[in-house]
Amino acid sequence: MRTIRVIGIGTGDPEQLTLQAVRALSEVDAVFVLDKGSEKADLVALRREICARHAKAGLRFVVAGDPERERRPADYAGTVEAWHAARASLLEALIADELGAGEVGAFLVWGDPALYDSTLRILERITARGRLAFACEVVPGISSVQVLAARHRIPLNRIGAPVHITTGRRLAAGLDPEADSTVVMLDADPRFDHLDPELTIYWGAYLGTRDEILRSGRLGTVGPEIRRVRAEARARHGWIMDTYLLRKPGAE
């Protein structure tokens, strides 16, 4: 039977791979990559670098264009559903064509496969169709949330207090009143005007890479600077991946 390994590779630093991830990759016959276009060529290049360091000789690097999806849809859930269905069809065909019986394939997932990544859901769809059988193994990785806290030299939570992880889309409705600390991911256009300016923000972009940018401070003070720096960086690179932590005023 074929085996598919979903391997977390951290946020951009090749040294963030765990020993388990290195060992898992060393046994892989083919790596599958969805190419998001020339603007994000750096993401494919990093995966090639990781494979050059840790994969066995003769590894096959299988690249296919990622299906397009609307970025600001009126029906977000419906758009994501259609996108996942398209991805599942594409990957099912790639695995069937490019991975032989008894071979091991891998998807190298940015951060950790369990946190805001669709790879496991896509593989579940393929399995549910019943046309292609494979074993699935998951290797955890270092997430952007962990790297953000490490770079700012802070614990993610305060003593006995909760942490809420959400998306920029959800943040538009406001913070969860029960959350002392809120991590925000996938925020395509951060806007802070509706939030308490006394919140503390810890922001990071391109975490773990040579282009890493960090800002922190009172939201009302550094919020406008973060928006400006973020826009400049996105224009310069053609893409950006960032995350941030919002913390209520209070004792640390």
Side-chain angles (χ1 to χ4, degrees), residues 8-250:
I9 60 171
T11 63
D13 185 345
E15 294 186 359
Q16 285 181 359
L17 266 72
T18 65
L19 294 177
Q20 183 184 21
V22 170
R23 184 171 60 252
L25 184 56
S26 71
E27 301 167 349
V28 164
D29 298 293
V31 168
F32 297 94
V33 178
L34 290 179
D35 188 354
K36 298 178 184 295
S38 59
E39 287 187 346
K40 294 187 177 181
D42 292 350
L43 305 184
V44 177
L46 175 65
R47 287 170 169 83
R48 288 189 181 277
E49 179 183 350
I50 288 173
C51 289
R53 289 191 185 193
H54 302 299
K56 65 184 181 181
L59 174 83
R60 302 190 299 278
F61 207 79
V62 182
V63 182
D66 195 11
E68 293 289 335
R69 74 178 176 95
E70 189 178 351
R71 290 296 170 179
R72 297 182 182 276
D75 178 10
Y76 179 75
T79 299
V80 172
E81 170 70 19
W83 180 47
H84 283 183
R87 273 185 159 188
S89 296
L90 172 62
L91 294 180
E92 182 177 14
L94 286 178
I95 294 169
D97 293 343
E98 301 290 343
L99 197 66
E103 288 192 317
V104 180
F107 291 89
L108 307 186
V109 172
W110 210 257
D112 182 271
L115 188 60
Y116 287 109
D117 183 82
S118 63
T119 304
L120 292 175
R121 291 188 179 91
I122 302 302
L123 294 176
E124 285 178 2
R125 281 176 174 264
I126 296 172
T127 300
R129 292 174 176 178
R131 296 192 292 258
L132 182 66
F134 54 83
C136 183
E137 301 172 359
V138 181
V139 178
I142 296 174
S143 72
S144 62
V145 178
Q146 294 167 277
V147 178
L148 179 74
R151 290 295 190 264
H152 284 287
R153 302 180 300 280
I154 58 171
L156 192 60
N157 65 290
R158 289 195 280 210
I159 297 173
V163 175
H164 182 62
I165 300 178
T166 189
T167 66
R169 184 178 296 273
R170 294 281 187 178
L171 186 67
L175 292 173
D176 182 338
E178 299 299 320
D180 176 75
S181 300
T182 300
V183 174
V184 184
M185 305 181 72
L186 304 179
D187 194 349
D189 186 19
R191 296 185 181 277
F192 309 120
D193 295 346
H194 64 300
L195 300 175
D196 181 358
E198 297 304 319
L199 290 165
T200 298
I201 185 169
Y202 300 93
W203 175 80
Y206 309 107
L207 292 163
T209 75
R210 64 177 64 89
D211 299 310
E212 183 177 275
I213 310 171
L214 301 172
R215 294 290 188 277
S216 65
R218 176 181 174 272
L219 181 61
T221 302
V222 301
E225 179 188 359
I226 289 172
R227 284 183 55 81
R228 176 183 59 78
V229 169
R230 187 184 190 279
E232 292 172 352
R234 184 166 193 167
R236 185 165 60 250
H237 295 284
W239 63 279
I240 191 168
M241 285 198 295
D242 60 340
T243 189
Y244 54 94
L245 170 68
L246 296 170
R247 180 160 285 164
K248 291 181 179 179

